[in-house]
């Protein structure tokens, strides 16, 4: 998984991508990481990570009020969202929406 800046994220979401919005201090975010790493092996789209503390206003503009937040983007638009801890299977299911 690649950590991205706001500029990289804005470019990446023009395609189809799953983005993990996280923070280092968030216990659920830390617990989610191994599931994301496993899902990435079986996923046909990129999984990117965005550190919420880097751009708080941008994250709030996306309507993210709780983390971890997984957002699926396609062609610059949000297609699906999942908040909280997810299993590998739930992550893969989200990428199929």
């Amino acid at each position: 998984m690649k950590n991205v800046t706001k500029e990289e994220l804005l470019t990446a979401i023009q395609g189809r991508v799953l983005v993990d919005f996280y923070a280092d201090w968030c216990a659920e975010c830390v617990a989610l990481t191994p599931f994301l790493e496993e899902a990435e092996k079986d996923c046909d789209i990129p999984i990117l990570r965005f550190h919420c503390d880097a751009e708080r206003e941008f994250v709030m503009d996306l309507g993210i009020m709780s983390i971890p937040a997984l957002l699926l983007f396609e062609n610059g638009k949000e297609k699906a969202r999942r908040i909280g801890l997810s299993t590998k299977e739930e992550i893969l299911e989200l990428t199929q929406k």
Side-chain angles (χ1 to χ4, degrees):
M1 285 179 303
K2 179 181 176 187
N3 287 309
V4 294
T5 64
K6 177 182 174 184
E7 292 74 26
E8 291 170 324
L9 178 63
L10 291 173
T11 299
I13 65 173
Q14 297 310 311
R16 185 169 169 83
V17 64
L18 181 66
V19 183
D20 170 32
F21 290 85
Y22 78 100
D24 295 328
W25 48 262
C26 168
E28 281 191 4
C29 298
V30 173
L32 179 63
T33 301
F35 295 116
L36 287 167
E37 289 170 346
E38 284 297 314
E40 184 176 41
K41 295 174 187 174
D42 298 326
C43 191
D44 59 351
I45 64 170
I47 298 177
L48 305 176
R49 301 189 82 207
F50 187 82
H51 197 286
C52 292
D53 289 341
E55 295 277 350
R56 289 182 182 173
E57 188 172 321
F58 172 66
V59 171
M60 291 182 73
D61 288 345
L62 291 172
I64 297 171
M65 305 300 256
S66 183
I67 56 175
L70 299 173
L71 277 65
L72 177 67
F73 289 96
E74 185 174 344
N75 300 323
K77 304 238 188 288
E78 182 182 330
K79 298 274 293 182
R81 176 183 297 222
R82 184 167 181 86
I83 305 297
L85 189 58
S86 301
T87 65
K88 172 188 171 184
E89 292 75 22
E90 291 168 331
I91 295 166
L92 290 172
E93 181 182 308
L94 181 63
T95 65
Q96 300 303 311
K97 294 191 181 242

